[in-house]
Structures are given as structure tokens and as C-alpha cells.
Amino acid sequence: RGLFSPATRPPTSQKAILAAAGMSTSLDLGGGLMPSAQLESLLSQMVQGDPEQIRQAEEALTPALSTPAFMLDLLTRLTQSQAAHVRQLAAVLLRRRIGSHWRKLGAANTNRIKATLLQVLATEPEGAVVRSVAALCASAARHAMSKGGWPELLSCVLEGSRSPTTAHRLVAMTLIASLLESDEVTEHLRPHFVLLKDLLAAALQDAQLDVARGALKALSAWTPSLGTEQDAASLLRPLVPLVLGLGARALGESDSLGDDETITLVCSLMDDLLEQDGAVQPAQVSPIADYALAAAASTSLELEPRRAALHLCACLVGTRRRAVVKQKLLPAMLARLFEVCSSGGIGAPDDDDDDESKVYKMAAQVFETVAELVPSKHVMPLLLELVATHAPSPDPARRRAVLLILAVTAAGCAEAFAKELPRLMPVVYAGCEAPEPQVREAACLAIGLFAQSLHPEILEHYERVLPHLFEVLADARGEVQGRACYAIEAFCEHLGSDIQPFLAPLLERLTTLLQHTAERPTQERCVSAIAAVAVGAKKAFADYFDPVYALMRHLLGQTASEMLPLRARAMECVGLMCLAVGRDRCSHVLQEVVHVAMAGLPLDAPELREYTFGFFGQVAELLGEEAAPLVPPLLPFLVKAVEQEEVTEFSEHEQARILAKLGPDPDGDGDELLDDDDDDEEDEEGEEGGDGPGIHTAMLDEKAAAIHCLGACAAYGGASFAPHIEAVMGPLLGCADHFHEDVRGALARTLSHLVKACAAAEPPQPWVKGEAPASSKLGKATRWLLQRSWRTLVSTFKDDDDKDTVAAAAESISEIVLLLGPSVLANAPWHPASTDPLVNGALALLEQRHSCQEAAQDLSEGGGVDEEEDHDEAVWEAVSELLTTLPKALGERWTPHLERLLPALLPYLREAHPLSDHALAIGILAEGLNHVEASGRHHLPTILPHAARCASAPDPTCRQNGVFCLGVLGAHGGEAALAQMQPILSALQQRL
């Protein structure tokens, strides 16, 4: 019977295949399942044969790989073949299948395998084969160490690491790296961690760069296993200076082979160490910054190490920003980053894809990270200093760098930027007038990003901004024209009636550009700019509707695949034009446009469907319940888009495809068949689109647009959409854990619209503040819908890692609570104790420990709430809305929750916090106290001083909230308020 029980005996067909291939069907574990010459030939065919030979080799090898005896045949080829590619493939196939056969091989054979592998490691001359054998050893060690250990393996590592022969030391490092990539093996090695640290410390200082680089790889594999602060401090922290020393050595030897790889490895490893709590001391932050900046600035390096160095700069700011600020590293860091951002000069207009162009853009991204994560009080003065120093420079690269940095940092320092606009806008205007097209393009980018982040303040400058954009719009270079269209789009969308004096020249220039430019991207941006002008102009656009629609009508008739993106933007533009002028003005074109829109949905064009879904959302807003007849034919396309999978299968190199056919990889760590680390061409292929999951971004955007469209149909269709809710809930909830935040955010917004539509179809009973929650007051369909949606919304608010998605969930929850009252917060089937999780999520946000704040969490010493932190406006507005909505429904029942929130809100009223924080905190407290009434009077002594201070603040929102809080304290404070009435009236008198 051999090794197979009846249940696992191979089928007769498999035995027949073995026999037909000339292989023995005996299961004698002495090997000999396949003649050596035949196996040699098959393995060689697998690597070097033509497609037909490869197919034949696959058919012959596949059944053999399922037998334990064949492992010994492969082992023989590993030791005896004269061809390196055969030896490596034998090692790879062994690694893939050794785990499934280990127990069946028996002690004698497994001991033979272990001894042979160590012998091969000691004698194999080819580095690629050594790496594959090391990976095989790691796979075998997973099983061997769980069955009594493999002491000879550890001895091999120790002896090799101390050998005077460079090749032996390199093999030891390669083996350590492979072993540490396995979690099981790493756990077995835990008693030897101190010895391992010392071994790696010596190797990092090895005179041979190859050995030291091998130690870097081993340390990179080890680092993720040292998750505790104690491990990181005792084992990793002593190695940080040695890693930096090796990096400095590699940076100083710019002509040595492999220098770029070493620097890249050092930067990547330092990223990992910075992420480990306890691995990096505060005193090491400055040397790390110096090294990263030096590597980023080195023009002798290739793109990849400079990219890694800039990423290290961003990681340092993200994980140790307090130390960076405290040690006053930021001024020098930004100054040196500016030099990188302005390096390389400005070449010909078509030279934007060279390495230097990529480097300056990556340096600007580090500025963006700094602005997002470091409080603006530390960043803004340094930015202004850079502007003052370099904006007047005769060097166009420096002027471009100034504008680019202003553009990308505006969002992170929005409040500070808004105050400095009178000082900054002349720099932008000068950029628009610059003779260099790259500088003009950067100036337009700055205007566009200012418009997105700094309105309404930026709109005050429209009288100078728009004429400058008119001039740039006439530029001869398509990239500059396109960027000007982007700036117009971002700026005009919010301009309102102030756009009217510029409406005619704007549309004249945009429509002329649309008709005369031959560059498709510029045409697309031009159409988007026209749409934004319509949105800004509103009813004033009516006089221009027909001639502009005539242009869009021509674009809507395009069917060539290369024209469909332009058709998509025309579809969006028409929808926004109709919304701007109103139904009566556009009624004569609606039927035609709807027909064209529906005709485009079956086309194989995800981008067109995305914009068409947006168009139907606009039609729903325009027509309200009268759009109901459009929903049934539209719904199948929406549901299909929501359900479709936008992630493709993993792409693989052809050799990996062959190995996949030969059987599963039990280690799950991928294939390295003949993967030469020095093969630059293959590395580039992987970087540009080789291995890894493929994501259709157009289909991703289509999915998000479909969800938004469903929400719009529900929001504006009201009760008419209710019959469709059941059909869409399943597909929608399937997106609750989607990997992309745009999809999750769209879902969070749409769920509240569905609840509103359902409530419109079966109106709930009126609710009274503070009444006992009772789900029986809700209709049957509403209860069904809440049971399916409420958990998703609460979970998203509590646990999502994206700030905008958390804000969307908070807004939706607030809207549902206001609509349905206390009943939605009942201890109901859709969520037990519904209020507690909401308060828990709000507390996590206030205490800066929410999942969406993890990217900004600082590992410097002295954790806790950062009093200087610039908070995300969307999140704080949503939290404020939620925490002021819940007491409106719960009334006095809000009291225990207010008690929990008070300690988390009071720190935001300290003087060190910005006034926006004061306004948030005092507003939440005032609203809560107002609705709990007498139940909160005992807080008057604590809150009154803060309310009085806020009532006299220079910020109008803070003053308004402070005055309101004083009134609440006076109304509900009882005897305590009477005793403090004079201070309350004195504070109020100042506002009269």
C-alpha cells in the first residue's frame, strides 16, 4: 500500500502518467522515482525551453511532485547538476512542496535532507542558487524545529558569520534573512535573540559591503517580529547607530558597486524602525534626519535611493514630529528639502519625466506631509521665510519650487494661509506672469489648491485672480492651459454672484480653447472648467446655456473610444448646467440628454458610466420625485457597478506562472525562480506594473459614483424610491468593508438618504426630546432598514481609518437621529446600547487615539493630546454636529454621556489650543448643558470661566458659542448661577 491510505491513494490516471513518463511507481524513499538524466532535461526545459517544451515538462513534473520520493530526486539534482539554473529550480520546487511531504519522508530522509542543504550552502558558488537554498532551509526549518530542533542549522549560521571567508559570511546573512521571514522559525529562535543581535551588529560593520548589506536584509526581516517596546529597546535600538553608519559609508562610496541598493535598504529599514515604539531614541532623530536629507540631495544617486530617502524624511516627521520640533530640526530640514525641490533647474518643457523632475515633485510631497502633521505655528513662519528668500530669485527652478510648495502646503496650514493671503497672492500673480511655462503652471496649481482649501478667503481676491488666469489660458503650451482650466474650475465653483462681470470673457476664452486645442487632456479640463463656471454663475448662466449646450451636444455624440472620456465630462457638464439654470430653462434638452445618457451606459467605458451616474444624480436633484420613472431602467446598471470587482488577479512573471501550475506554495511567500537581485530590467518591470494586485481605478470611481447616484435618487426621490431599497441594500452593504475610502464614504452618506426615503414612505410617529426610546414608534420597513444599516454606520464612525469617511458616518448618524428621534437609539436589534458606541467613538477622536488618526500619531516621548495639533476640519465639524444632535434627542438622558465627555473636552479649552478648538469644545458643552437642563448645573463652576473667556475671543464663532454657553449656564444653573450672575452679566455686557 505504500504511504497512501485508501482515502489518499492517487487515482489510476496519475499512476498511468508516471508510468508513461518512464518513472517508477514505487514509493521507495531512497529516491530514483525519475531517472537523473530525464529530470535534468525536464528542469532545463522548464527554464530554457520553448512554450511547447515547457508545457510537456509541466505535464511530466506535476504528478511527480505529489510523491514524497520525488523530493529526494530533486535533492540529487540540487547537489549534482552542473547547470546553475537547474540547481536553482530544484531548490525552488523543493521549497514549494517539502512542507506537504515532510512527515511522510521519515526521520532518516529528513536528516539526510537537512545535512545536504547545509552542505550545499557551504559549497554552492552561485549567489542566486544560495538564496533559493536559504529559502528552502527556512521552509524545512518550520517543520524541523517543531520536531526537536535543528541545532546544526544554528551552528552553520554562527560558524559562517565568524568565518574569515567573505562568501561564508554572506551565506550566513542570506540564511538568517530567510529564516527570519518565517514567523514560526523566528519564534523558535527567540531564546537566541541576544546572540542574533550581536551577530548582526558585527555583520553591519563588516568590511565587505555585500555582507553588511546582507545583515541589513536580515535585520529588515527581523524587525516586524519585535513588536513590544521592550524588545525594540533592547534589541533594535543598539543597532540604529550601526545602520546609520553603514548608510553613511555607502553614501560616501558613491562609486562602489551596489551603493544605491545599500542606501535604499538603510532608508527602508529606518522607516520600519521609526514605526516601532521604543526602537529609536530621541537623540537619534537628528542623525536620521541628517542622513535622509544628505541622501535625498545626492545627485550622484539613482532615483530609487533618493525616493527612499525622501520617504524616510516624511516618515520621520510622521512618527517623531514632536522630537523634530523640540530639537529645532524643522528649519534646517525645510531649507535642505527646498534645495532638493529646486535642484536640477528647469529644462525643456518636455523634460518633466526625467529623474530630477520626479525628485523635485517627491520633495514637494514631503513638504505636504510636514504641513499636514506639524502644527502650523511651527511650519508657517518657515514657509514665509522661504517665500521671502526665494520668490524674487532669478532662478526659475527656485521660483517654481516656491509656488509648488505653497500649493501643496495650503491644505495642511489652511487657517494660517488664509490670514497670509494678502502677502502670498502677489507671489502667485508674479508666477502667472513669469516667462517660463513651468513657473506659470505651478502658479495655476497654487491658485487651484488655494481655491480648494482657503475659501471663502481666497474668493476675496477674484478681481485679480481671474484676469491672471485669462492671460495664462492663452498660453501656447497645453500643460499650462490645462492647469489654468483646473484653477478656473476650482476657483469659480464657489464664486457666486461675483463671477457675473467675468462670465462673458470666461466663457468666450474657454469655449474658444475647447474648439481650437487638439490636446485631449486640455479639452477635458476645459469642459470641467465650463461646468464650474455654470455652478458658480447659477441663474446668470441662463443666457449662455444654449450656445454652450450646442458645444456639449457635439461631444455627447462621440462614440470613438478615445473620445469617450471627453464625452463623459460633457455629460457631467450638462448636468451641472441644468442644475445651475433650473428646470424651466433646460426642459427643452432634458429628454434628449437623458436618452444619450442611457445609451452610453452599456458601452465598455467605466469612466463614461461614472460621469453618467453623476449626471443622473443631478437629474434626481433637478426633478425630485418626478425622476422616479428613470430609476427602474437605471437601477440594473447601478447595482452592477456596485457589485463588480475592480481588483484583478495578481500578475506574475512567466516562470512564476509555471510554478503555480506545479502546485501551491505552502509558505505563501511568493516565488523567486531565477530572480536575480541585480536584474535592473526586471526590477523596473515589477515597479511599473509587474507583480502585485491590479486595481482598475476607473471601475473604482464608477462604483463610488454609482453609490452616490443611489443616494441622490433616494434623497431627492423620497417615498418614490422606497420600493427599490430592498433590492439595493444587499449590494450596498457588500461595500461596507471595501478597501477604498471613497467607496466606504459614499456608502455612509447613502445609507442616511435611504433611511430618509423609507421614512418618507412610512412617516414615523412624532418624537419628543427625552422620551424613552421605543423602536415600536418606527414603521416596519424603517426598522428593517435600520437593522441592516445602523451597525454599519456606527462601526464606520468608531473604527474606520479614513477621516472623511468617519465624518460622513457621523453626519449620517446625526441626520437619522434628528429624523427618527430617541427611538433610533433604543436598545434595539440593529444595535444594543446604541448611544455608548457613539460616545466611545467621539471620545477616541477627542483623545486623538481613533483609527483615522493613527497616521498622525507621534511616537516621540511625551504622548497624549497634542495641544498644538491642527485638526481636520471635516472631522471636527462632524463630531461637533453629532455631539450636539444626540442631546437634542435624549434630553436629560444625555447626562451620563456628558459626564464622560467633559474630561476629554476641557483640554481643548486651554489657552495653548487654537480658537477653533475653543469654539468646538464650548459649543458641545453648551448644547449638552442646554438639553440636560438642571442635571448639569453642578458643572457651572468648572465651565463658567471658560465660557466667559470664549465670549470675549477674537474669533466670531468662538464668541457666539461662548455667549450661548453663558446664557445656558444662567438659565439652568439654579442657585449657583444666581451667585455668579454678576460675572455672567458682565461678560454678556461686553457683547452688547
Side-chain angles (χ1 to χ4, degrees), residues 511-577:
T511 53
T512 300
L513 177 61
L514 177 62
Q515 296 175 80
H516 291 91
T517 183
E519 297 191 21
R520 197 66 43 71
T522 302
Q523 289 178 318
E524 293 173 11
R525 287 179 171 176
C526 189
V527 172
S528 296
I530 291 173
V533 171
V535 171
K538 296 183 173 58
K539 297 289 185 182
F541 190 77
D543 294 340
Y544 306 92
F545 182 90
D546 289 332
V548 175
Y549 176 71
L551 287 175
M552 297 302 130
R553 187 173 185 268
H554 172 72
L555 298 179
L556 291 175
Q558 301 299 312
T559 57
S561 58
E562 66 273 11
M563 293 296 292
L564 292 182
L566 186 56
R567 172 177 169 177
R569 281 156 181 78
M571 182 63 64
E572 175 191 47
C573 183
V574 171
L576 292 172
M577 287 166 51

Side-chain angles (χ1 to χ4, degrees), residues 352-656:
D352 283 350
D353 290 331
D354 60 16
D355 283 357
E356 281 302 320
S357 294
K358 294 176 181 177
V359 168
Y360 90 74
K361 292 175 183 176
M362 289 186 287
Q365 290 172 351
V366 181
F367 271 95
E368 183 178 10
T369 301
V370 170
E372 288 176 353
L373 300 180
V374 178
S376 58
K377 63 180 288 186
H378 301 295
V379 178
M380 197 64 197
L382 300 177
L383 293 179
L384 293 174
E385 183 178 343
L386 289 174
V387 170
T389 303
H390 301 290
S393 173
D395 182 359
R398 292 183 176 274
R399 286 184 274 117
R400 177 183 63 181
V402 166
L403 292 166
L404 184 58
I405 290 167
L406 288 177
V408 299
T409 54
C413 302
E415 188 174 345
F417 258 73
K419 296 176 181 177
E420 296 292 343
L421 279 176
R423 182 176 176 180
L424 297 177
M425 291 310 296
V427 177
V428 178
Y429 301 146
C432 291
E433 298 167 357
E436 301 85 7
Q438 296 92 337
V439 178
R440 297 196 296 275
E441 186 178 354
C444 291
L445 177 65
I447 292 174
L449 292 176
F450 281 12
Q452 288 183 348
S453 305
L454 307 181
H455 64 81
E457 291 85 357
I458 184 65
L459 301 180
E460 299 173 6
H461 301 266
Y462 72 95
E463 291 179 320
R464 294 196 63 189
V465 168
L466 290 177
H468 278 93
L469 290 178
F470 290 164
E471 294 301 320
V472 182
L473 203 58
D475 201 285
R477 189 183 179 201
E479 290 85 349
V480 179
Q481 292 175 333
R483 194 68 77 183
C485 288
Y486 159 72
I488 289 172
E489 176 188 359
F491 193 85
C492 293
E493 186 175 1
H494 306 285
L495 197 52
S497 60
D498 289 331
I499 200 175
Q500 292 186 21
F502 299 93
L503 197 52
L506 261 174
L507 291 172
E508 179 185 356
R509 285 168 170 79
L510 289 172
T511 53
T512 300
L513 177 61
L514 177 62
Q515 296 175 80
H516 291 91
T517 183
E519 297 191 21
R520 197 66 43 71
T522 302
Q523 289 178 318
E524 293 173 11
R525 287 179 171 176
C526 189
V527 172
S528 296
I530 291 173
V533 171
V535 171
K538 296 183 173 58
K539 297 289 185 182
F541 190 77
D543 294 340
Y544 306 92
F545 182 90
D546 289 332
V548 175
Y549 176 71
L551 287 175
M552 297 302 130
R553 187 173 185 268
H554 172 72
L555 298 179
L556 291 175
Q558 301 299 312
T559 57
S561 58
E562 66 273 11
M563 293 296 292
L564 292 182
L566 186 56
R567 172 177 169 177
R569 281 156 181 78
M571 182 63 64
E572 175 191 47
C573 183
V574 171
L576 292 172
M577 287 166 51
C578 291
L579 272 181
V581 300
R583 177 179 176 179
D584 292 341
R585 180 65 182 82
C586 67
S587 59
H588 62 293
V589 305
L590 276 179
Q591 184 175 357
E592 177 184 47
V593 181
V594 168
H595 175 75
V596 172
M598 291 299 301
L601 289 176
L603 299 178
D604 184 18
E607 189 174 9
L608 177 60
R609 287 194 295 272
E610 173 199 347
Y611 283 87
T612 302
F613 292 154
F615 165 79
F616 279 111
Q618 293 147 9
V619 170
E621 182 177 356
L622 185 70
L623 300 182
E625 292 192 1
E626 294 182 33
L630 298 177
V631 175
L634 180 62
L635 207 58
F637 294 102
L638 293 171
V639 171
K640 181 179 179 181
V642 173
E643 292 181 327
Q644 71 184 353
E645 182 59 61
E646 63 279 353
V647 180
T648 64
E649 295 296 324
F650 278 81
S651 58
E652 299 176 331
H653 297 305
E654 183 64 18
Q655 293 164 331

